[in-house]
Amino acid sequence: MIVVMKRGASPEQIEHMIRRVEQLGLKAHPIYGTERTVIAAIGEKRDEFRQSLESGPGVAEIVPILAPYKVASREVKLDSTVVRVGSLVVGNCHLGVIAGPCSVENLEQTLTTARAVKAAGATALRGGAFKPRTSPYSFQGLKEEGLKLLAQASRETGLPTVSEVMTAENVELVARYVDVLQVGARNMQNFDLLREVGRIRKPVFLKRGLSATLEEFLAAAEYILAEGNSQVILCERGIRTFETATRNTLDLSVVPLIKELSHLPIVVDPSHATGKRSLVPPMAKAAIVAGAHGIMVEVHPDPEKALSDGPQSLTIPGFEKLMTEIKQINAFLGYEK
Amino acid sequence: MIVVMKRGASPEQIEHMIRRVEQLGLKAHPIYGTERTVIAAIGEKRDEFRQSLESGPGVAEIVPILAPYKVASREVKLDSTVVRVGSLVVGNCHLGVIAGPCSVENLEQTLTTARAVKAAGATALRGGAFKPRTSPYSFQGLKEEGLKLLAQASRETGLPTVSEVMTAENVELVARYVDVLQVGARNMQNFDLLREVGRIRKPVFLKRGLSATLEEFLAAAEYILAEGNSQVILCERGIRTFETATRNTLDLSVVPLIKELSHLPIVVDPSHATGKRSLVPPMAKAAIVAGAHGIMVEVHPDPEKALSDGPQSLTIPGFEKLMTEIKQINAFLGYEK
Amino acid sequence: MIVVMKRGASPEQIEHMIRRVEQLGLKAHPIYGTERTVIAAIGEKRDEFRQSLESGPGVAEIVPILAPYKVASREVKLDSTVVRVGSLVVGNCHLGVIAGPCSVENLEQTLTTARAVKAAGATALRGGAFKPRTSPYSFQGLKEEGLKLLAQASRETGLPTVSEVMTAENVELVARYVDVLQVGARNMQNFDLLREVGRIRKPVFLKRGLSATLEEFLAAAEYILAEGNSQVILCERGIRTFETATRNTLDLSVVPLIKELSHLPIVVDPSHATGKRSLVPPMAKAAIVAGAHGIMVEVHPDPEKALSDGPQSLTIPGFEKLMTEIKQINAFLGYEK
Amino acid sequence: MIVVMKRGASPEQIEHMIRRVEQLGLKAHPIYGTERTVIAAIGEKRDEFRQSLESGPGVAEIVPILAPYKVASREVKLDSTVVRVGSLVVGNCHLGVIAGPCSVENLEQTLTTARAVKAAGATALRGGAFKPRTSPYSFQGLKEEGLKLLAQASRETGLPTVSEVMTAENVELVARYVDVLQVGARNMQNFDLLREVGRIRKPVFLKRGLSATLEEFLAAAEYILAEGNSQVILCERGIRTFETATRNTLDLSVVPLIKELSHLPIVVDPSHATGKRSLVPPMAKAAIVAGAHGIMVEVHPDPEKALSDGPQSLTIPGFEKLMTEIKQINAFLGYEK
């Protein structure tokens, strides 16, 4: 870490900071520039002492050199992580397609969708039972009843399932019914939840927070990995910006960037990112070409009557058309499904 | 709610949407403009049917007229809510000053700070025992041990306490020791936690999320109010923007705006908003003049050795100086303490 | 436009606003809802009267129904605009590839790059002669001398050229040397410049501003179109968000969205959007699959010695590899070059 | 500047970068850390070589130590700049109040406003003659005719005037009529305009761009200062964020921060920042208490009939009330007017 002193810092302040660095067990390496002095602190234990040094007299700023994550880093594990659960294989050159309704509403809707997406080529079924909603007056999901319907659809189609868990308390309950536990964007820094899903032996589908930097996203994954669960799938689902023409702003550039920085697989959710049905197919295809290891898309047999996220849900024929195109792209890119 | 049809929407599509509005139990009121047709839907139950209608054929967009909150709204309750717990009185013309360390580190640090801020005029003591941290390798707080130290400092000084609760599961535990339960920025949309603190009989200090709109912030308060707990204090603590010169961007304009839209008290935290000690006093004073019902500031006897947030913590003399100025401003503004 | 009255608006205020709407030559259509009254104003002339009505007594907000652009809208012109200048054809099913150095530095660098990108399949040559730079102490471009070098490279290779014009005053000068005039992101709302390039008979390459909404972007194009120049190419080049891992955030979802809203061609610049060489090829390919009508990429024979934007410039072999992949994608997508 | 090498950088890459730094005339100072090597480059000429080094093999990132501005920095000039023109004195402990209509509409409106704001205590008159508008169909200002009306109002009241100049070409024209030339937010990085107003001998009122960082804002001021014009007034007028409840987000924390980093005076415009009349007085007062050297507010005799920005314009009685309060605050703060 680099301690940048202010231009006018006194020799005493510089001396003080050198001693502080050494008291923290680091090696201090001062460099006297033409306008400022900086002190390189070697042996750093990541973020740990940063704020402490930043409070020192005459200090302008601290520049960290190491990222706040380690196990998630490709520097530590060179080969790509592949997450496998039944027909869902995500990572390296494997592409997963997770499709299904935003919310599980009833048996018929869930089964109809599950069968249709399976037939079209999806490799996993999504469906929300616990729903985070901005307003307390919106539909909050069927809860355990929804999980049961999802599990039934899984048994009938053979598709593994992905569903959101909203609290540490419910991890065990959700894990009883579903194959992959989703941590939603609003919970990306719910650290108790992260630790709890880090302790189970099922894959975790971690969505990027609305205003999370890439570094915070990987640090959130690190919470799960640090507990011993290495089966983490990252998901870019759009960030919040000033632009309101789309529901969020899909930050697709993080796909190739995450592949450089981390060994974890990265999946894209164009449904939540765009919020508009017509934008989902082009962004799904763009995500795959950008290198995503999979996509998650919302599909509903009758979006106009969906209890949530109708405007961004593909119809079943719309999903079938997308899958035809994705298969062509995969063939073209040489991906295995 | 207003259903805006696309320019080229067909008479059949318009007719379809009128029927849809009526099927939802609303009264449809079509208006045929020079370029587009819009359908006003009267009798709306807030957000409920929005997405459903947005999915309809030929629909360009839905414009909601009502906000996603109701009990939090000043339209429903004209007189301002005042939250009182011991010496802390917040709301209407009462100003609360909540001061203390970012983290409770040990008895001496906690007691020293508590006595000093009490002497300087603070009306409540803050101190974190459960700490949300970006990296799993950063100090995570003393947990229950920290709550005990905080309670001891409260007994010795008579100051009521404010401390963060991070999960629904811990609400009971934290409530056993502290007077006001804080819901942190990262948990503003942790809906289970919101519901849980809505069920206790202690005031809740709700921090605005890093990327939460004002509407979402009030909708989060609504979750608590809807459970029956009317003692909610809102807190603006900076939002995330492109600007990195400060830790966050303090959105002070929401102070007078919240006072128009809601009856709930609004407090400002200039420590987290700016992240820089030197900016805390001017922004604390600005907040009060902008109409805030209080401030929350971090104070540490030796910020350079603080385990978290040292760079933004005031020293004890710094806090004393700020309190002298605040008292003058209060006298000037005619506030009661 | 919809005038939304406050919940407590008095009958007099409502009556006043109805009269105001009518005074402005619009037809007023009041709708009395369960909680609020709204007044639809029919015959609106876009933004014109919006602020005037918003100032009225008892008004909560004004909801515009029409966008601030008209000629740029697909509602007005259904068939897609195709811009053609020599080998550069952009729009509908034609894909343009504009490549070259960030800055024109000298004859050798310019010619080497021009020949290489031509050989690899580029259809136009880019090169900056007037450079907008954050600091007054950075390299500001070769100015007219740079334009001459660019023109020479164009003559030798037959590639049409794209170069930035920074002021209305210089439009004539730049137009003398280059085929397509670029308006940079920082000038997207330099309205005098927009009007001036609207008066020439050469195509304009309009980059989206760093914090411009899609609506403002199309309204900027409208300034050019309104002056009679219909040859406008839009360019998405990343917006400014909280994320600093990439130089900007590439907002790729606007590509299919612009194609719905406007008839103008939309090109993507992954070099400025990402700021990192390794991210340029995946995002260039993703842009094409998302439906972009072309890409603009920076190429330099020796990026390490480039006077600007070296870190995001492709090497010549890097560009050749990208073009091979793009040709395969084009064949796959059925695009004509 | 610090060259941070990648974790896996080879000895050859490190050696290469050391040589590159030395070729650029800087002194290279390598530091071999436990995980990475960094190379401090001493003698740096600010931004100049940054991108060049960033392109080198094995380089992870470049960390600049110096800001992209120098003359604007308080490190270079310790005493605060005070700008004086007639009754307008801004900087150090002098507070300027610049008030007037958004647009100059006609003689009566301009004179009425000028007399009223003068009587209430304003020290300068604002009024737009050249108006930047998002849509080409909105009112674009009276242009030179407007400047004449403004000059007439100035003669009658004795108030110095502030008005926007939108192009380098018009600097001379606007300077003929007005006392302080405003560079608007959309033109903050119109570098030709900055250079041109840098060459005149009148004060410049520089508004922060909608998405400009503090560093870019000061670098824009540096363009003016570098041309020899030291009379620059900075103006914070709100930045663009995800929040739409206010027109922009007033970033008040930059007021004390700019006072640390620069000697230039900083004024706040709460009218454009908030976009809502009722929020202007509290934010104007907050700005002054935060340490602003002045405020710019929009005032209109009949906001409901204003041709632009009516919703955020104070009425004359509203402005009078605000001035009464500001005088009390000034007395309280010990400011001279």
Side-chain angles (χ1 to χ4, degrees):
Chain A
M1 146 174 60
I2 310 282
V3 180
V4 181
M5 301 301 293
K6 286 183 185 158
R7 189 182 156 100
S10 68
E12 291 69 33
Q13 288 176 327
I14 293 167
E15 200 43 53
H16 174 91
M17 290 312 297
I18 291 173
R19 275 200 314 275
R20 282 289 296 150
V21 166
E22 286 167 350
Q23 279 167 16
L24 294 172
L26 307 175
K27 198 159 155 256
H29 197 121
I31 302 160
Y32 301 94
T34 45
E35 295 195 23
R36 285 162 187 267
T37 296
V38 304
I39 304 164
I42 301 174
E44 79 178 287
K45 308 200 182 63
R46 290 195 148 67
D47 210 30
E48 201 115 16
F49 302 128
R50 177 178 177 173
Q51 290 189 319
S52 173
L53 291 171
E54 201 172 336
S55 303
V59 174
E61 60 172 332
I62 301 296
V63 179
I65 300 298
L66 302 183
Y69 53 88
K70 187 167 175 145
V71 189
S73 167
R74 199 176 277 279
E75 294 187 343
V76 163
K77 175 171 179 289
L78 274 173
D79 58 312
S80 300
T81 293
V82 177
V83 176
R84 292 166 196 274
V85 44
S87 56
L88 179 66
V89 189
V90 178
N92 210 354
C93 58
H94 301 274
L95 191 87
V97 176
I98 306 162
C102 176
S103 302
V104 172
E105 297 169 11
N106 55 57
L107 182 60
E108 195 203 330
Q109 168 246 18
T110 309
L111 267 183
T112 306
T113 313
R115 285 175 187 140
V117 301
K118 160 89 174 183
T123 61
L125 177 65
R126 63 151 288 152
F130 293 91
K131 301 298 303 172
R133 302 301 296 271
T134 300
S135 167
Y137 310 122
S138 298
F139 173 62
Q140 309 274 328
L142 295 183
K143 307 204 169 68
E144 187 169 0
E145 182 55 28
L147 296 175
K148 287 180 183 167
L149 297 178
L150 198 64
Q152 183 172 345
S154 172
R155 280 192 304 275
E156 298 222 5
T157 58
L159 287 177
T161 55
V162 183
S163 197
E164 179 163 355
V165 57
M166 285 172 61
T167 62
E169 231 176 335
N170 280 344
V171 166
E172 204 211 294
L173 172 70
V174 177
R176 214 178 304 145
Y177 294 102
V178 310
D179 300 299
V180 179
L181 278 75
Q182 176 176 316
V183 174
R186 286 171 185 76
N187 276 321
M188 192 204 82
Q189 292 195 318
N190 182 331
F191 300 114
D192 285 81
L193 176 57
L194 295 177
R195 277 196 211 92
E196 197 64 32
V197 294
R199 289 183 203 119
I200 58 162
R201 292 287 80 85
K202 290 203 164 185
V204 177
F205 192 83
L206 177 66
K207 289 199 154 188
R208 181 182 182 187
L210 272 77
S211 61
T213 62
L214 190 45
E215 203 167 274
E216 290 169 340
F217 188 18
L218 291 172
E222 186 87 1
Y223 266 91
I224 303 170
L225 298 170
E227 294 292 331
N229 188 346
S230 61
Q231 299 285 87
V232 176
I233 303 167
L234 303 171
C235 179
E236 158 64 29
R237 44 76 74 206
I239 55 173
R240 180 159 281 183
T241 70
F242 64 83
E243 178 58 84
T244 55
T246 44
R247 184 170 177 180
N248 293 288
T249 297
L250 180 60
D251 185 9
L252 213 49
S253 309
V254 299
V255 169
L257 189 50
I258 283 177
K259 289 169 80 174
E260 290 179 15
L261 298 173
S262 177
H263 51 85
L264 296 172
I266 168 75
V267 162
V268 169
D269 173 351
S271 304
H272 283 88
T274 64
K276 278 188 206 296
R277 187 178 308 133
S278 63
L279 305 182
V280 171
M283 298 323 290
K285 292 180 282 179
I288 293 170
V289 170
H293 298 109
I295 53 167
M296 170 178 263
V297 287
E298 291 185 350
V299 179
H300 197 282
D302 187 358
E304 211 184 330
K305 298 206 172 124
L307 292 181
S308 60
D309 284 355
Q312 72 198 32
S313 296
L314 294 182
T315 58
I316 288 171
F319 179 71
E320 290 166 346
K321 183 164 177 297
L322 172 60
M323 284 308 295
T324 305
E325 295 173 333
I326 285 179
K327 282 171 199 164
Q328 292 170 342
I329 291 177
N330 277 359
F332 171 72
L333 293 174
Y335 263 123
E336 300 173 43
K337 199 184 60 174
Chain B
M1 152 172 56
I2 310 284
V3 180
V4 180
M5 302 300 292
K6 287 183 184 157
R7 189 182 156 102
S10 68
E12 290 71 33
Q13 288 176 327
I14 294 168
E15 198 45 52
H16 174 92
M17 289 312 299
I18 292 173
R19 275 200 315 275
R20 280 288 298 152
V21 167
E22 287 168 349
Q23 279 167 16
L24 294 172
L26 308 175
K27 203 162 152 252
H29 197 121
I31 303 158
Y32 302 93
T34 44
E35 294 196 22
R36 284 163 188 268
T37 296
V38 303
I39 304 164
I42 301 173
E44 79 178 284
K45 305 196 184 66
R46 289 191 152 69
D47 209 31
E48 200 115 17
F49 303 129
R50 178 179 176 173
Q51 291 190 317
S52 173
L53 291 171
E54 200 173 336
S55 304
V59 174
E61 60 170 332
I62 301 296
V63 179
I65 300 299
L66 301 183
Y69 53 88
K70 186 168 177 145
V71 188
S73 167
R74 199 175 276 281
E75 293 187 343
V76 163
K77 175 170 179 290
L78 273 174
D79 57 314
S80 299
T81 292
V82 177
V83 176
R84 293 166 196 274
V85 44
S87 56
L88 179 67
V89 190
V90 178
N92 212 355
C93 59
H94 301 276
L95 190 87
V97 175
I98 306 163
C102 175
S103 301
V104 172
E105 296 169 11
N106 55 57
L107 182 60
E108 195 203 329
Q109 167 245 21
T110 310
L111 266 183
T112 306
T113 313
R115 286 176 187 138
V117 300
K118 162 87 175 184
T123 61
L125 177 66
R126 64 151 287 152
F130 293 91
K131 301 298 302 173
R133 302 300 297 270
T134 300
S135 166
Y137 310 122
S138 300
F139 174 62
Q140 310 274 328
L142 295 183
K143 308 206 169 70
E144 186 168 0
E145 182 55 28
L147 296 176
K148 287 180 184 168
L149 297 179
L150 198 65
Q152 183 173 345
S154 173
R155 280 192 304 274
E156 297 221 7
T157 57
L159 287 176
T161 54
V162 183
S163 197
E164 179 162 355
V165 57
M166 284 172 63
T167 62
E169 232 176 335
N170 280 345
V171 165
E172 206 210 293
L173 172 71
V174 177
R176 217 178 301 145
Y177 294 100
V178 309
D179 299 300
V180 179
L181 278 74
Q182 176 176 315
V183 174
R186 286 172 184 75
N187 276 320
M188 194 204 82
Q189 293 196 318
N190 181 333
F191 301 115
D192 285 79
L193 176 58
L194 295 177
R195 278 197 209 91
E196 197 63 31
V197 294
R199 286 181 204 119
I200 58 161
R201 292 287 81 84
K202 293 205 162 182
V204 177
F205 191 84
L206 178 65
K207 290 200 152 187
R208 182 184 183 186
L210 272 77
S211 61
T213 63
L214 190 44
E215 204 166 274
E216 289 168 342
F217 189 18
L218 292 171
E222 186 87 2
Y223 265 90
I224 303 171
L225 299 170
E227 294 292 332
N229 188 347
S230 61
Q231 300 284 88
V232 177
I233 303 168
L234 302 172
C235 178
E236 160 64 28
R237 44 78 72 208
I239 56 173
R240 180 158 279 183
T241 70
F242 63 83
E243 179 58 83
T244 55
T246 45
R247 184 170 176 178
N248 294 287
T249 297
L250 179 60
D251 185 9
L252 213 48
S253 308
V254 298
V255 169
L257 188 51
I258 283 176
K259 291 169 80 175
E260 290 179 16
L261 297 173
S262 177
H263 51 85
L264 295 173
I266 168 75
V267 162
V268 169
D269 173 351
S271 304
H272 283 88
T274 64
K276 279 187 205 295
R277 187 180 308 132
S278 63
L279 305 182
V280 170
M283 299 322 291
K285 292 181 281 179
I288 294 170
V289 171
H293 298 109
I295 52 166
M296 170 178 263
V297 286
E298 290 185 349
V299 179
H300 196 282
D302 186 358
E304 209 184 333
K305 301 211 171 120
L307 292 180
S308 60
D309 283 356
Q312 72 198 32
S313 295
L314 293 182
T315 59
I316 289 170
F319 180 69
E320 290 166 347
K321 182 164 179 296
L322 172 61
M323 284 308 296
T324 306
E325 296 174 332
I326 286 179
K327 282 171 198 161
Q328 292 169 342
I329 292 177
N330 277 0
F332 171 73
L333 294 173
Y335 262 123
E336 301 173 42
K337 198 182 63 172
Chain C
M1 152 172 56
I2 310 283
V3 180
V4 181
M5 301 301 292
K6 286 182 185 158
R7 190 183 156 101
S10 68
E12 290 70 32
Q13 288 176 327
I14 293 167
E15 197 46 53
H16 174 91
M17 290 312 298
I18 292 173
R19 275 199 315 275
R20 281 288 298 151
V21 166
E22 286 168 349
Q23 279 167 16
L24 293 172
L26 308 175
K27 203 161 152 251
H29 197 121
I31 303 159
Y32 302 93
T34 43
E35 295 195 23
R36 286 163 187 266
T37 296
V38 303
I39 304 164
I42 301 174
E44 81 178 282
K45 303 195 185 65
R46 290 192 150 67
D47 209 30
E48 201 115 16
F49 303 129
R50 178 177 176 175
Q51 290 189 317
S52 173
L53 291 170
E54 201 172 336
S55 303
V59 174
E61 62 171 330
I62 301 295
V63 179
I65 301 299
L66 301 184
Y69 53 88
K70 188 168 176 145
V71 188
S73 168
R74 199 175 278 280
E75 293 187 342
V76 162
K77 176 171 179 290
L78 273 174
D79 58 314
S80 299
T81 292
V82 178
V83 176
R84 291 167 196 274
V85 45
S87 55
L88 179 67
V89 189
V90 178
N92 212 356
C93 59
H94 302 275
L95 190 88
V97 176
I98 306 164
C102 175
S103 301
V104 172
E105 296 169 12
N106 55 56
L107 181 60
E108 196 202 328
Q109 167 244 20
T110 311
L111 268 182
T112 305
T113 314
R115 285 177 188 139
V117 300
K118 161 87 174 184
T123 62
L125 176 66
R126 64 150 288 149
F130 293 91
K131 301 299 304 172
R133 300 302 296 270
T134 300
S135 165
Y137 310 123
S138 298
F139 173 61
Q140 309 274 327
L142 295 183
K143 306 204 170 69
E144 188 169 358
E145 182 55 28
L147 296 176
K148 286 179 185 168
L149 298 178
L150 199 64
Q152 184 173 344
S154 173
R155 278 192 306 273
E156 297 220 8
T157 57
L159 287 176
T161 55
V162 183
S163 196
E164 179 163 354
V165 57
M166 285 172 61
T167 63
E169 232 176 336
N170 280 344
V171 166
E172 205 211 294
L173 172 72
V174 178
R176 216 179 301 146
Y177 294 101
V178 310
D179 299 300
V180 178
L181 278 76
Q182 176 176 317
V183 174
R186 286 171 184 76
N187 276 319
M188 194 204 82
Q189 292 195 319
N190 181 333
F191 300 115
D192 285 79
L193 177 57
L194 296 177
R195 278 195 210 93
E196 197 63 31
V197 295
R199 289 184 202 117
I200 57 162
R201 290 289 78 86
K202 291 204 162 182
V204 177
F205 191 84
L206 177 66
K207 288 199 152 186
R208 182 183 183 186
L210 271 78
S211 61
T213 62
L214 190 45
E215 204 166 274
E216 290 168 340
F217 189 19
L218 291 171
E222 187 87 1
Y223 266 91
I224 303 171
L225 298 170
E227 294 292 331
N229 188 347
S230 61
Q231 301 284 89
V232 176
I233 303 167
L234 303 171
C235 178
E236 159 63 28
R237 44 77 73 207
I239 56 173
R240 181 159 279 184
T241 71
F242 64 83
E243 178 58 82
T244 55
T246 45
R247 183 170 176 180
N248 293 286
T249 298
L250 179 60
D251 185 9
L252 213 49
S253 308
V254 298
V255 169
L257 189 51
I258 283 177
K259 290 168 81 174
E260 290 179 15
L261 298 172
S262 177
H263 51 85
L264 295 173
I266 168 75
V267 161
V268 169
D269 173 351
S271 304
H272 283 88
T274 64
K276 278 188 207 295
R277 187 178 309 132
S278 63
L279 305 181
V280 171
M283 299 322 290
K285 291 180 281 179
I288 293 171
V289 171
H293 298 108
I295 52 166
M296 171 179 261
V297 286
E298 291 185 348
V299 179
H300 196 283
D302 187 358
E304 209 184 331
K305 298 205 171 127
L307 293 180
S308 60
D309 282 357
Q312 71 198 33
S313 295
L314 293 182
T315 58
I316 289 172
F319 179 69
E320 288 166 347
K321 181 164 180 296
L322 172 60
M323 284 308 295
T324 305
E325 296 173 332
I326 286 179
K327 281 171 198 163
Q328 293 169 342
I329 292 177
N330 277 0
F332 172 71
L333 294 173
Y335 263 124
E336 299 173 43
K337 199 182 59 174
Chain D
M1 153 171 56
I2 310 284
V3 180
V4 181
M5 301 301 292
K6 287 183 186 158
R7 189 182 157 99
S10 68
E12 290 71 33
Q13 289 176 328
I14 293 168
E15 198 46 52
H16 174 91
M17 290 312 298
I18 291 173
R19 274 199 314 277
R20 281 290 297 151
V21 166
E22 288 168 349
Q23 279 166 17
L24 294 171
L26 308 174
K27 203 160 151 254
H29 198 122
I31 302 159
Y32 302 93
T34 44
E35 294 197 22
R36 283 164 189 267
T37 296
V38 304
I39 304 165
I42 302 174
E44 81 177 285
K45 306 197 183 63
R46 289 196 148 68
D47 210 29
E48 202 115 17
F49 302 128
R50 177 177 177 174
Q51 290 188 318
S52 174
L53 291 171
E54 201 172 338
S55 303
V59 174
E61 62 172 330
I62 301 295
V63 179
I65 301 299
L66 302 182
Y69 53 88
K70 185 168 179 146
V71 189
S73 167
R74 198 176 277 279
E75 294 188 342
V76 163
K77 176 172 179 287
L78 273 174
D79 58 312
S80 300
T81 293
V82 178
V83 176
R84 293 168 195 274
V85 45
S87 55
L88 179 67
V89 190
V90 178
N92 212 354
C93 59
H94 301 276
L95 191 87
V97 176
I98 306 163
C102 175
S103 301
V104 173
E105 296 169 10
N106 56 56
L107 182 60
E108 196 202 328
Q109 167 246 19
T110 310
L111 267 182
T112 306
T113 314
R115 285 176 188 139
V117 300
K118 161 89 175 181
T123 61
L125 177 66
R126 64 151 288 151
F130 293 91
K131 302 297 304 171
R133 302 300 297 271
T134 300
S135 166
Y137 311 123
S138 298
F139 173 60
Q140 309 274 328
L142 294 184
K143 307 205 169 68
E144 187 169 359
E145 183 55 27
L147 296 176
K148 287 181 185 168
L149 298 178
L150 198 64
Q152 184 173 343
S154 173
R155 279 191 305 274
E156 297 221 6
T157 57
L159 287 176
T161 54
V162 184
S163 196
E164 178 163 355
V165 56
M166 284 171 61
T167 62
E169 231 175 337
N170 280 344
V171 166
E172 204 211 292
L173 172 73
V174 177
R176 216 178 301 146
Y177 294 102
V178 311
D179 299 302
V180 178
L181 278 76
Q182 176 177 315
V183 173
R186 284 171 186 77
N187 276 319
M188 194 205 82
Q189 292 196 319
N190 181 333
F191 300 113
D192 285 80
L193 177 57
L194 295 176
R195 278 196 209 93
E196 197 63 31
V197 295
R199 289 184 201 117
I200 59 162
R201 293 286 79 87
K202 292 203 163 184
V204 177
F205 191 84
L206 178 66
K207 289 197 152 186
R208 182 183 184 187
L210 272 78
S211 61
T213 62
L214 190 44
E215 203 167 273
E216 290 169 340
F217 189 17
L218 291 171
E222 185 88 0
Y223 265 91
I224 303 172
L225 298 171
E227 293 292 331
N229 188 346
S230 61
Q231 300 285 88
V232 176
I233 303 167
L234 302 171
C235 178
E236 160 63 29
R237 45 76 74 206
I239 55 173
R240 179 159 281 182
T241 71
F242 64 83
E243 178 59 84
T244 55
T246 45
R247 185 172 174 178
N248 293 288
T249 297
L250 180 60
D251 184 9
L252 213 49
S253 309
V254 298
V255 169
L257 189 50
I258 283 177
K259 290 170 80 174
E260 290 179 16
L261 298 173
S262 178
H263 52 86
L264 296 173
I266 168 76
V267 162
V268 169
D269 173 351
S271 305
H272 283 89
T274 63
K276 278 189 206 294
R277 188 178 308 133
S278 61
L279 305 182
V280 171
M283 297 323 290
K285 291 181 281 180
I288 293 171
V289 171
H293 298 109
I295 53 166
M296 171 178 261
V297 286
E298 291 186 348
V299 179
H300 196 283
D302 188 357
E304 209 184 332
K305 298 206 171 125
L307 292 180
S308 60
D309 282 355
Q312 71 198 32
S313 296
L314 294 182
T315 59
I316 288 171
F319 180 70
E320 290 166 346
K321 183 165 179 297
L322 171 60
M323 283 308 296
T324 306
E325 296 173 332
I326 285 179
K327 281 171 200 164
Q328 293 169 343
I329 291 177
N330 277 359
F332 171 71
L333 294 173
Y335 263 126
E336 301 172 42
K337 197 181 63 174

